[in-house]
Amino acid sequence: MASLRQLRAHARQIFAAGVASADPLEAVKRQVTLDDKRLRVGRTEYDLADIRRLYVVGCGKAAARMALALEEIFGERIADGAIVVKYGHGASLTTIQIVEAGHPIPDENGVTGARRIMEIVANAGAADLIIFVVSGGGSALLPMPAVGLTLADKQTTTQLLLACGATIGEVNAVRKHLSQLKGGRLAALAQPSRVIALILSDVIGDALETIASGPTVADKTTFADCLAIIQRYGLANLIASAVLNLLESGARGEFAETPKPSNPIFQNVQNHIVGSNRLALAAAKQQAEALGYNTQIISSTIQGESRMVAQSHAGLAKSMLKQNRGVHRPTCWLSGGETTVSVRGDGLGGRNQEFALAAALALDDTMSGRNDVVILSAGTDGTDGPTDAAGGIVDPTTIRRGKSKGLDAQTFLARNDSYHFLQATGDLLITGPTLTNVMDLQIMLVN
């Protein structure tokens, strides 16, 4: 029987395997191969003799390693390129220019990078191929406001929509219509060139139109939809007049709509998912089984309030430990997705740390002192909220160790201060930036 120390080590190994499978460089190389003059992307084949120039553009926290893979594959065949990444997420590239910019709040560096990408794409011709790499964070890192708007106009509008309770679909619909690149507009700008988008998915269900707000994907929403959203939430008198005027002009047909699914431009565009949460879970499962665990993937679409989801996960462990027959242990349960946190306090943390602390409290409720359960929750990008931690890794002794230091876990959870509690108990999971992003992984081991 593994000790608690071994269980915690195993949880880390399983998480690392999931993250490794989503390594952007390897993910791209699995999908893109070059054999003499034949280029294969997934199941599609291209004759490089038909391609005059090759360009690489992109955005996202993982875009640097995705671009590095393409430089290793194509070398001097790349004529030019530019990508926008989060500060500190760069790589050593030869031909492709890197612009570091603000995330999650867009900044002027992001606008500069987006403008450079637009120049490259707009200058490409019918005999050229554009490879667009995109990963999580791409929406914030590719900010190019529609003509007549400022970056501040877009930021304020987005903040108002989020604060009023608009759904992510509603927020994205408006955001696409206030942009020169999102909602399929990058694909339109690239015409008549051929476009291949290599996508590292960071959204539930791998919805292409949602990832980075779909620069190369058709948009089904309209200006009229956006106006209805603004009116639904009573924002007409709060958003900038320039934003409202643009939406009204668009609804009257005075401003070009985002490209729709029937638009022939998309015949020249191919979108390929090269990495996702589902693939990371599959790799984590393989590692867990290699360590001897009877492993099951619960779901790759976990959503909801983080502390509530954590309680249900902990409930599975408690239920299993009450059963004496028909249970094949040691067991590993895996899940993935992206939970949310309703911030009510003034503390520091992220959704994964809150998940870990809530899970520790649920375990402590009836299992204090046991040493046969470990729960890990962490972001595959290595950053959980505005902290240096990827998440947390807890067990039934976590709350007791906090009490020994005079800390009350319930108080910390109520203040959304999971970071400082887990830091004090030594239960933070700190990996540093992983340079990938396929949402979160949860790992639960029962000995």
Side-chain angles (χ1 to χ4, degrees), residues 3-323:
S3 67
L4 186 58
R5 181 188 296 266
Q6 289 173 316
L7 283 178
R8 291 174 68 94
H10 287 170
R12 289 173 178 269
Q13 290 176 41
I14 295 166
F15 176 72
V19 172
S21 75
D23 177 83
L25 186 144
E26 297 301 327
V28 168
K29 286 188 171 181
R30 283 194 297 267
Q31 290 288 324
V32 181
T33 59
L34 187 60
D35 179 14
D36 192 19
K37 292 187 177 181
R38 305 299 296 180
L39 167 63
R40 293 181 181 83
V41 183
R43 296 181 179 179
T44 305
E45 190 171 287
Y46 301 84
D47 186 348
L48 287 185
D50 297 333
I51 296 172
R52 182 181 59 172
R53 292 174 299 188
L54 171 64
Y55 297 103
V56 176
V57 296
C59 57
K61 287 185 279 187
R65 284 187 62 77
M66 297 176 80
L68 179 59
L70 294 176
E71 284 201 343
E72 292 183 3
I73 293 169
F74 294 108
E76 295 180 355
R77 285 188 173 94
I78 299 174
D80 197 2
I83 59 169
V84 189
V85 302
K86 181 179 178 179
Y87 291 113
H89 285 61
S92 180
L93 300 178
T94 302
T95 304
I96 302 167
Q97 176 188 359
I98 291 183
V99 178
E100 295 192 3
H103 177 280
I105 305 301
D107 63 11
E108 288 300 330
N109 267 13
V111 175
T112 298
R115 186 175 292 113
R116 173 76 176 115
I117 288 171
M118 289 180 69
E119 291 172 356
I120 293 172
V121 169
N123 288 329
D128 298 331
L129 174 65
I130 299 168
I131 299 182
F132 177 61
V133 295
V134 62
S135 68
S139 190
L141 292 165
L142 199 68
M144 181 51 67
V147 176
L149 301 185
T150 66
L151 181 59
D153 289 335
K154 285 193 65 178
Q155 290 172 331
T156 301
T157 303
T158 300
Q159 290 166 355
L160 286 169
L161 285 164
L162 292 172
C164 75
T167 67
I168 188 60
E170 291 171 328
V171 173
N172 276 344
V174 176
R175 187 156 47 186
K176 290 176 183 180
H177 283 82
L178 304 183
S179 170
Q180 294 186 52
L181 292 173
K182 297 177 174 65
R185 284 197 162 120
L186 186 144
L189 183 64
Q191 292 306 297
S193 304
R194 284 167 287 183
V195 179
I196 298 173
L198 304 177
I199 302 167
L200 196 70
S201 173
D202 71 328
V203 304
I204 299 291
D206 302 334
L208 292 174
E209 68 276 11
T210 302
I211 302 168
S213 298
T216 60
V217 182
D219 177 36
K220 297 178 182 178
T221 65
T222 65
F223 280 107
D225 294 331
C226 296
L227 278 178
I229 292 166
I230 296 300
Q231 294 164 0
R232 184 178 306 132
Y233 294 102
L235 302 180
N237 295 324
L238 298 177
I239 63 174
S241 58
V243 171
L244 187 60
N245 290 339
L246 174 65
L247 296 179
E248 290 175 340
S249 297
R252 291 194 298 266
E254 299 168 5
F255 197 89
E257 259 291 358
T258 50
K260 305 307 174 193
S262 60
N263 196 309
I265 66 170
F266 294 109
Q267 295 176 7
N268 283 344
V269 179
Q270 293 193 343
N271 295 295
H272 297 269
I273 296 286
V274 300
S276 67
N277 191 264
R278 290 183 296 104
L279 296 175
L281 283 170
K285 182 175 186 289
Q286 185 176 19
Q287 178 64 41
E289 289 173 341
L291 290 169
Y293 290 90
N294 179 44
T295 307
Q296 179 180 349
I297 296 175
I298 300 172
S299 174
S300 63
T301 59
I302 294 294
Q303 301 179 75
E305 185 71 25
S306 187
R307 63 182 67 182
M308 301 302 294
V309 179
Q311 289 173 12
S312 67
H313 276 59
L316 279 175
K318 291 192 286 188
S319 175
M320 168 165 278
L321 289 169
K322 288 180 181 178
Q323 300 178 47

